[in-house]
Amino acid sequence: KFSKVFSVNLKADKSYLIDAESQDLDCQFYLFDVKNKLLGQDHTRLFHAPTADGEHRIVLSSFDNKEGKFAIKLRELNIRGEAKPRAVGKTGLKLNQDLDEKNVTDLGDYSRVVSLQLKAGQPYMLDVKSDDFDSQLYVFDGKSKLLAQDRAKVFHVPTANGVHHLVVKSFDSKEGKFNLEVREFNLKGEADPRDLGKKGLTVKGQINANDDTPVGKAGKVFSVQMKAGQTYTIELNSPDLDSYLYLFDAKSTLLAQDDDSGGE
């Protein structure tokens, strides 16, 4: 109940942006292919790049079982990059720029594009900071396909050499300055990876202000041996600090990250 289906034809060589809005209900929308395979879901905005031409289905649902009006907007996405993409050398790239309502991209106003030349197989860390607005960072390839997004820090490994477009957007539509840092990311682990064993592994330690990792300050790296096909649970707890957990493979590719899904 309280849901509707819309069928649309999409093209494989295009990227699309789907927005859902409602003042009356808490909407949730889902995107399926013609075989009812779920391709994505969100309550406000979804990016999608079809792998084949053909029919796709959008299901709009009232999450709180209320009735009312809504609007779904679906359009082709076209991120126009800078005329001359910037190179990211061994020392990385640092930019300090302004953002206001005059900065407009295909993601709307209060957004700005930075175009980069990135190398296939090389992990990168992309970090945006602003004291003036709530920043959101999007990473697109040269065909406007969304590759990654986050409110602060993105880890990305390109699958092909070429131009990538970063879009910095003010999430709360405020203007101000932002700092963008892009650099090659290479994470060095412990000399002797730890063995989990049948009973698992428990590590008790302390993070100090002078502890440093390539992810950032006040962090520590732990290396463990894992088996292919085995499911693992990793829990991080601290009564003293707002901790954040990242999981990388041996090639510095980000596999997972989490903040508070397990509680505090």
Side-chain angles (χ1 to χ4, degrees):
K1 295 182 178 180
F2 297 100
S3 62
K4 285 191 173 183
V5 181
F6 303 90
S7 297
V8 293
N9 281 312
L10 303 181
K11 299 177 182 178
D13 60 344
K14 301 292 184 179
S15 292
Y16 295 90
L17 177 61
I18 309 171
D19 284 315
E21 300 173 354
S22 177
Q23 299 294 326
D24 302 326
L25 50 93
D26 184 8
C27 59
Q28 180 85 0
F29 70 97
Y30 307 83
L31 180 66
F32 296 89
D33 65 12
V34 72
K35 295 182 179 180
N36 296 322
K37 178 183 178 181
L38 180 65
L39 304 175
Q41 67 183 83
D42 205 281
H43 66 282
T44 55
R45 170 168 283 186
L46 186 68
F47 298 89
H48 179 61
T51 57
D53 292 349
E55 180 184 343
H56 290 64
R57 294 161 184 169
I58 301 172
V59 178
L60 191 288
S61 177
S62 174
F63 204 69
D64 49 2
N65 288 338
K66 293 182 179 179
E67 61 182 30
K69 295 182 180 295
F70 64 87
I72 295 178
K73 299 177 182 179
L74 170 64
R75 59 184 173 85
E76 293 181 8
L77 185 63
N78 183 19
I79 301 299
R80 300 179 185 273
E82 295 178 299
K84 187 177 181 180
R86 306 165 190 255
V88 180
K90 291 296 183 182
T91 58
L93 176 69
K94 293 183 180 181
L95 297 175
N96 180 271
Q97 294 189 334
D98 295 309
L99 186 67
D100 57 36
E101 61 182 359
K102 296 178 181 178
N103 298 121
V104 181
T105 72
D106 212 23
L107 298 187
D109 54 7
Y110 295 97
S111 61
R112 188 163 186 164
V113 178
V114 176
S115 298
L116 306 174
Q117 285 283 357
L118 300 181
K119 296 181 289 186
Q122 171 62 55
Y124 293 90
M125 186 176 79
L126 308 94
D127 200 359
V128 63
K129 295 184 177 70
S130 177
D131 295 326
D132 301 323
F133 58 82
D134 185 5
S135 59
Q136 181 86 358
L137 180 63
Y138 301 87
V139 183
F140 297 91
D141 65 11
K143 295 183 179 180
S144 299
K145 179 182 178 181
L146 180 69
L147 304 175
Q149 70 181 89
D150 202 278
R151 291 200 171 189
K153 193 171 291 184
V154 171
F155 297 90
H156 176 59
V157 183
T159 57
N161 294 328
V163 178
H164 290 63
H165 304 304
L166 313 185
V167 178
V168 178
K169 183 172 176 59
S170 173
F171 204 70
D172 49 2
S173 296
K174 294 181 180 179
E175 62 182 30
K177 294 184 177 294
F178 68 88
N179 292 299
L180 177 65
E181 180 179 0
V182 181
R183 59 182 173 84
E184 294 182 1
F185 179 76
N186 295 293
L187 185 64
K188 292 183 179 180
E190 295 178 299
D192 296 315
R194 303 165 188 248
D195 186 17
L196 294 177
K198 292 293 184 180
K199 296 183 178 180
L201 174 69
T202 299
V203 178
K204 294 184 178 181
Q206 179 166 325
I207 291 179
N208 301 311
N210 58 351
D211 289 322
D212 197 7
T213 75
V215 175
K217 294 183 178 179
K220 284 192 172 182
V221 180
F222 301 93
S223 299
V224 294
Q225 289 283 359
M226 293 187 173
K227 298 177 182 178
Q230 174 64 54
T231 301
Y232 294 90
T233 299
I234 309 171
E235 294 181 349
L236 172 64
N237 299 287
S238 174
D240 301 322
L241 51 90
D242 184 9
S243 54
Y244 200 99
L245 180 66
Y246 299 91
L247 177 66
F248 297 90
D249 67 11
K251 295 182 179 180
S252 301
T253 300
L254 181 67
L255 304 176
Q257 58 183 319
D258 189 71
D259 188 6
D260 295 323
S261 70
E264 298 186 9

PDB file of all heavy atoms in Angstrom, residues 94-108:
ATOM      1  N   LYS A  94      46.600  20.609  -3.428  1.00  0.00           N
ATOM      2  CA  LYS A  94      45.848  21.319  -2.395  1.00  0.00           C
ATOM      3  C   LYS A  94      45.228  22.566  -3.006  1.00  0.00           C
ATOM      4  O   LYS A  94      45.912  23.339  -3.674  1.00  0.00           O
ATOM      5  CB  LYS A  94      46.750  21.700  -1.219  1.00  0.00           C
ATOM      6  CG  LYS A  94      47.265  20.514  -0.415  1.00  0.00           C
ATOM      7  CD  LYS A  94      48.094  20.968   0.778  1.00  0.00           C
ATOM      8  CE  LYS A  94      48.597  19.781   1.585  1.00  0.00           C
ATOM      9  NZ  LYS A  94      49.388  20.209   2.768  1.00  0.00           N
ATOM     10  N   LEU A  95      43.920  22.745  -2.780  1.00  0.00           N
ATOM     11  CA  LEU A  95      43.202  23.899  -3.306  1.00  0.00           C
ATOM     12  C   LEU A  95      42.423  24.578  -2.189  1.00  0.00           C
ATOM     13  O   LEU A  95      41.836  23.908  -1.330  1.00  0.00           O
ATOM     14  CB  LEU A  95      42.225  23.482  -4.406  1.00  0.00           C
ATOM     15  CG  LEU A  95      42.810  22.865  -5.679  1.00  0.00           C
ATOM     16  CD1 LEU A  95      41.682  22.414  -6.593  1.00  0.00           C
ATOM     17  CD2 LEU A  95      43.702  23.863  -6.394  1.00  0.00           C
ATOM     18  N   ASN A  96      42.409  25.893  -2.216  1.00  0.00           N
ATOM     19  CA  ASN A  96      41.577  26.694  -1.316  1.00  0.00           C
ATOM     20  C   ASN A  96      40.703  27.578  -2.199  1.00  0.00           C
ATOM     21  O   ASN A  96      41.217  28.454  -2.898  1.00  0.00           O
ATOM     22  CB  ASN A  96      42.433  27.538  -0.364  1.00  0.00           C
ATOM     23  CG  ASN A  96      41.580  28.371   0.570  1.00  0.00           C
ATOM     24  OD1 ASN A  96      41.212  29.494   0.237  1.00  0.00           O
ATOM     25  ND2 ASN A  96      41.262  27.824   1.725  1.00  0.00           N
ATOM     26  N   GLN A  97      39.384  27.335  -2.197  1.00  0.00           N
ATOM     27  CA  GLN A  97      38.502  28.057  -3.109  1.00  0.00           C
ATOM     28  C   GLN A  97      37.240  28.535  -2.403  1.00  0.00           C
ATOM     29  O   GLN A  97      36.893  28.059  -1.315  1.00  0.00           O
ATOM     30  CB  GLN A  97      38.133  27.167  -4.300  1.00  0.00           C
ATOM     31  CG  GLN A  97      39.316  26.820  -5.189  1.00  0.00           C
ATOM     32  CD  GLN A  97      38.910  26.118  -6.467  1.00  0.00           C
ATOM     33  OE1 GLN A  97      37.884  25.461  -6.532  1.00  0.00           O
ATOM     34  NE2 GLN A  97      39.727  26.262  -7.494  1.00  0.00           N
ATOM     35  N   ASP A  98      36.557  29.478  -3.067  1.00  0.00           N
ATOM     36  CA  ASP A  98      35.290  30.006  -2.568  1.00  0.00           C
ATOM     37  C   ASP A  98      34.128  29.268  -3.222  1.00  0.00           C
ATOM     38  O   ASP A  98      34.231  28.769  -4.347  1.00  0.00           O
ATOM     39  CB  ASP A  98      35.171  31.498  -2.876  1.00  0.00           C
ATOM     40  CG  ASP A  98      36.219  32.318  -2.145  1.00  0.00           C
ATOM     41  OD1 ASP A  98      36.342  32.155  -0.919  1.00  0.00           O
ATOM     42  OD2 ASP A  98      36.911  33.119  -2.802  1.00  0.00           O
ATOM     43  N   LEU A  99      33.005  29.243  -2.511  1.00  0.00           N
ATOM     44  CA  LEU A  99      31.797  28.633  -3.029  1.00  0.00           C
ATOM     45  C   LEU A  99      30.609  29.512  -2.657  1.00  0.00           C
ATOM     46  O   LEU A  99      30.419  29.853  -1.482  1.00  0.00           O
ATOM     47  CB  LEU A  99      31.605  27.226  -2.447  1.00  0.00           C
ATOM     48  CG  LEU A  99      30.449  26.401  -3.003  1.00  0.00           C
ATOM     49  CD1 LEU A  99      30.698  26.048  -4.459  1.00  0.00           C
ATOM     50  CD2 LEU A  99      30.265  25.124  -2.192  1.00  0.00           C
ATOM     51  N   ASP A 100      29.810  29.909  -3.669  1.00  0.00           N
ATOM     52  CA  ASP A 100      28.612  30.688  -3.411  1.00  0.00           C
ATOM     53  C   ASP A 100      27.542  30.317  -4.423  1.00  0.00           C
ATOM     54  O   ASP A 100      27.711  29.391  -5.216  1.00  0.00           O
ATOM     55  CB  ASP A 100      28.906  32.194  -3.438  1.00  0.00           C
ATOM     56  CG  ASP A 100      29.520  32.663  -4.748  1.00  0.00           C
ATOM     57  OD1 ASP A 100      29.138  32.128  -5.801  1.00  0.00           O
ATOM     58  OD2 ASP A 100      30.387  33.564  -4.719  1.00  0.00           O
ATOM     59  N   GLU A 101      26.417  31.039  -4.422  1.00  0.00           N
ATOM     60  CA  GLU A 101      25.278  30.703  -5.276  1.00  0.00           C
ATOM     61  C   GLU A 101      25.583  30.870  -6.765  1.00  0.00           C
ATOM     62  O   GLU A 101      24.862  30.333  -7.610  1.00  0.00           O
ATOM     63  CB  GLU A 101      24.072  31.550  -4.900  1.00  0.00           C
ATOM     64  CG  GLU A 101      24.287  33.043  -5.073  1.00  0.00           C
ATOM     65  CD  GLU A 101      23.082  33.845  -4.642  1.00  0.00           C
ATOM     66  OE1 GLU A 101      22.079  33.245  -4.226  1.00  0.00           O
ATOM     67  OE2 GLU A 101      23.154  35.088  -4.716  1.00  0.00           O
ATOM     68  N   LYS A 102      26.645  31.599  -7.092  1.00  0.00           N
ATOM     69  CA  LYS A 102      27.022  31.766  -8.493  1.00  0.00           C
ATOM     70  C   LYS A 102      27.726  30.522  -9.044  1.00  0.00           C
ATOM     71  O   LYS A 102      27.835  30.366 -10.258  1.00  0.00           O
ATOM     72  CB  LYS A 102      27.929  32.983  -8.653  1.00  0.00           C
ATOM     73  CG  LYS A 102      27.255  34.300  -8.300  1.00  0.00           C
ATOM     74  CD  LYS A 102      28.223  35.461  -8.444  1.00  0.00           C
ATOM     75  CE  LYS A 102      27.562  36.777  -8.059  1.00  0.00           C
ATOM     76  NZ  LYS A 102      28.511  37.913  -8.144  1.00  0.00           N
ATOM     77  N   ASN A 103      28.212  29.666  -8.153  1.00  0.00           N
ATOM     78  CA  ASN A 103      28.835  28.411  -8.574  1.00  0.00           C
ATOM     79  C   ASN A 103      27.741  27.372  -8.780  1.00  0.00           C
ATOM     80  O   ASN A 103      27.086  26.936  -7.832  1.00  0.00           O
ATOM     81  CB  ASN A 103      29.833  27.927  -7.527  1.00  0.00           C
ATOM     82  CG  ASN A 103      30.980  28.894  -7.305  1.00  0.00           C
ATOM     83  OD1 ASN A 103      31.198  29.378  -6.207  1.00  0.00           O
ATOM     84  ND2 ASN A 103      31.719  29.195  -8.353  1.00  0.00           N
ATOM     85  N   VAL A 104      27.537  26.975 -10.020  1.00  0.00           N
ATOM     86  CA  VAL A 104      26.443  26.075 -10.374  1.00  0.00           C
ATOM     87  C   VAL A 104      26.977  24.932 -11.237  1.00  0.00           C
ATOM     88  O   VAL A 104      27.744  25.157 -12.174  1.00  0.00           O
ATOM     89  CB  VAL A 104      25.329  26.815 -11.136  1.00  0.00           C
ATOM     90  CG1 VAL A 104      24.201  25.847 -11.475  1.00  0.00           C
ATOM     91  CG2 VAL A 104      24.793  27.982 -10.313  1.00  0.00           C
ATOM     92  N   THR A 105      26.581  23.709 -10.913  1.00  0.00           N
ATOM     93  CA  THR A 105      26.868  22.536 -11.724  1.00  0.00           C
ATOM     94  C   THR A 105      25.550  21.823 -11.996  1.00  0.00           C
ATOM     95  O   THR A 105      24.475  22.296 -11.607  1.00  0.00           O
ATOM     96  CB  THR A 105      27.839  21.574 -11.027  1.00  0.00           C
ATOM     97  OG1 THR A 105      27.158  20.912  -9.952  1.00  0.00           O
ATOM     98  CG2 THR A 105      29.051  22.317 -10.469  1.00  0.00           C
ATOM     99  N   ASP A 106      25.610  20.665 -12.608  1.00  0.00           N
ATOM    100  CA  ASP A 106      24.408  19.894 -12.875  1.00  0.00           C
ATOM    101  C   ASP A 106      23.810  19.300 -11.601  1.00  0.00           C
ATOM    102  O   ASP A 106      22.733  18.708 -11.631  1.00  0.00           O
ATOM    103  CB  ASP A 106      24.700  18.780 -13.886  1.00  0.00           C
ATOM    104  CG  ASP A 106      23.504  18.476 -14.767  1.00  0.00           C
ATOM    105  OD1 ASP A 106      22.636  19.361 -14.909  1.00  0.00           O
ATOM    106  OD2 ASP A 106      23.415  17.365 -15.305  1.00  0.00           O
ATOM    107  N   LEU A 107      24.505  19.463 -10.469  1.00  0.00           N
ATOM    108  CA  LEU A 107      23.964  19.059  -9.172  1.00  0.00           C
ATOM    109  C   LEU A 107      23.250  20.206  -8.476  1.00  0.00           C
ATOM    110  O   LEU A 107      22.786  20.055  -7.347  1.00  0.00           O
ATOM    111  CB  LEU A 107      25.064  18.508  -8.279  1.00  0.00           C
ATOM    112  CG  LEU A 107      25.784  17.248  -8.763  1.00  0.00           C
ATOM    113  CD1 LEU A 107      26.715  16.728  -7.686  1.00  0.00           C
ATOM    114  CD2 LEU A 107      24.794  16.171  -9.185  1.00  0.00           C
ATOM    115  N   GLY A 108      23.210  21.382  -9.130  1.00  0.00           N
ATOM    116  CA  GLY A 108      22.515  22.524  -8.556  1.00  0.00           C
ATOM    117  C   GLY A 108      23.449  23.647  -8.191  1.00  0.00           C
ATOM    118  O   GLY A 108      24.652  23.618  -8.486  1.00  0.00           O
TER     119      GLY A 108
END
